[in-house]
Amino acid sequence: MKSRYTHPKVLSFEFYPPKTEEGAAGLKIVHEKLARLNPGFFSVTFGAGGSTREKTFETVVEIQSKGIAAAPHLSCVASTRNGIRTILNDYRDKGIRKIVALRGDLPSGMLSAGEFRYANELVEFIRKETGDAFEIHVAAYPEVHPQAPNADVDFNNFKRKVEAGADAAITQYFYNAEAYFYFRDRCERNGITIPIVPGIMPITQYSQLFRFSEMCGADIPRWLRKRLECLGDDRAAIQAFGRDVVTELCRKLLEQEAPGLHFYTMNQSGPTLAILENLEFCPQAA
């Protein structure tokens, strides 16, 4: 049955560059399964301070060669103007036309971020150097960036990224749809019209989710946290419950005109496909 959501919506999926040959082989299988959904793009992260930049480049080029757009992450941290200029030229030579521009996190022990302090400076540099050669995606934080002193400062930081030339935004993951709707409404009130795509994190392990959420400032609502705690170490029960929770979140977002969904896959296809099957984005056999 054809989904009522598919025609106006865009899917995208995030990977991290594999560290081993086994990981690379596994990612190829994951990519093949998710590519059947014809997503708008696959994004590829890199480690703190650009520590996996070469592997990010290799992964991006490999994905791009398969026929679906790849979008590498670029970070301010540990970056120089000359270094970013070289990377942009290399990506452009390989046919890459999408970039996810981020401030990034300082690795432990690093005192200076580099020549770019904030993501808006990186976006502005990319536009100055390359014009409209790249579609630039930036990060958004419906529940406020964990290092921002308050919501107004965080929103103004986001607005500067848009004014610098961002084409679209991908949010940090969340489980409270109202946070997304409030943020989107605030953007509209302030004349920000770029697509704000919700970031979606499937729930597969409570301990992992709790650790990630602590680091990135994503809120786990009390009711959800308590339910997951009750499930203990029953991984199958956690996955089934998490699938239903995230499916309903996605359904609510799509019904309220979210422009698409961006899945943080953790280099796994199963949890994401299960949610999309519930939403009728793909057949059961995918």
Side-chain angles (χ1 to χ4, degrees), residues 16-24 27 47 51-52 55 59 267:
Y16 59 82
K19 297 179 180 180
T20 65
E21 290 186 7
E22 182 180 8
L27 183 57
S51 56
T52 65
K55 289 187 177 296
T59 305
N267 288 16

Side-chain angles (χ1 to χ4, degrees), residues 3-269:
S3 169
R4 63 183 181 274
Y5 302 130
T6 53
H7 69 279
K9 309 299 181 181
V10 176
L11 294 176
S12 53
F13 304 109
E14 182 170 294
F15 299 144
Y16 59 82
K19 297 179 180 180
T20 65
E21 290 186 7
E22 182 180 8
L27 183 57
K28 287 182 179 179
I29 295 172
V30 171
H31 171 266
E32 288 173 2
K33 291 181 178 181
L34 294 176
R36 297 173 193 167
L37 301 175
N38 194 29
F41 62 92
F42 293 97
S43 69
V44 182
T45 69
F46 57 87
S51 56
T52 65
R53 188 163 285 163
E54 286 188 13
K55 289 187 177 296
T56 297
F57 184 86
E58 293 170 2
T59 305
V60 166
V61 172
E62 172 76 11
I63 289 172
Q64 186 82 6
S65 71
K66 302 296 184 182
I68 294 177
H73 286 205
L74 278 183
S75 168
C76 298
V77 174
S79 295
T80 65
R81 285 171 173 77
N82 283 338
I84 292 293
R85 185 180 294 114
T86 299
I87 292 169
L88 291 172
N89 288 335
D90 288 344
Y91 278 133
R92 190 159 49 177
D93 290 345
K94 294 295 184 180
I96 307 299
R97 294 295 179 263
K98 298 178 187 290
I99 294 285
V100 180
L102 307 167
R103 192 196 71 170
D105 299 319
L106 279 172
S108 178
M110 181 178 287
L111 301 178
S112 174
E115 293 184 11
F116 301 98
R117 296 173 299 166
Y118 305 110
N120 67 288
E121 296 175 357
L122 179 58
V123 173
E124 184 177 13
F125 179 79
I126 295 171
R127 281 283 173 248
K128 182 178 178 181
E129 289 290 315
T130 67
D132 293 328
F134 293 101
E135 180 180 285
I136 302 176
H137 298 246
V138 295
Y141 294 85
E143 295 176 325
V144 183
H145 192 284
Q147 296 177 1
N150 58 59
D152 287 344
V153 169
D154 189 46
F155 184 80
N156 288 331
N157 288 340
F158 175 71
K159 190 175 182 180
R160 277 191 284 272
K161 291 188 283 190
V162 176
E163 292 169 344
D167 295 296
I170 301 168
T171 76
Q172 179 58 271
Y173 70 85
F174 55 87
Y175 298 103
N176 178 8
E178 295 306 318
Y180 170 81
F181 297 139
Y182 180 85
F183 181 81
R184 184 182 64 181
D185 290 347
R186 188 174 187 183
C187 287
E188 291 176 357
R189 292 195 301 271
N190 284 269
I192 296 173
T193 60
I194 66 171
I196 311 292
V197 180
I200 305 298
M201 176 69 84
I203 298 173
T204 58
Q205 296 182 48
Y206 176 59
S207 59
Q208 181 188 60
L209 179 66
F210 181 81
R211 185 172 67 253
F212 286 168
S213 299
E214 284 286 297
M215 290 189 298
C216 69
D219 182 52
I220 304 176
R222 187 174 186 274
W223 70 268
L224 177 56
R225 186 173 69 252
K226 291 297 183 181
R227 178 63 179 144
L228 289 168
E229 288 172 354
C230 286
L231 295 174
D233 296 327
D234 189 340
R235 186 163 183 177
I238 289 173
Q239 291 177 350
F241 173 68
R243 179 176 64 247
D244 291 344
V245 167
V246 178
T247 295
E248 289 308 307
L249 171 66
C250 292
R251 183 173 286 118
K252 183 180 291 188
L253 293 167
L254 293 170
E255 288 175 347
Q256 295 297 319
E257 301 304 321
L261 301 169
H262 180 82
F263 283 86
Y264 298 105
T265 70
M266 303 303 295
N267 288 16
Q268 301 176 58
S269 61

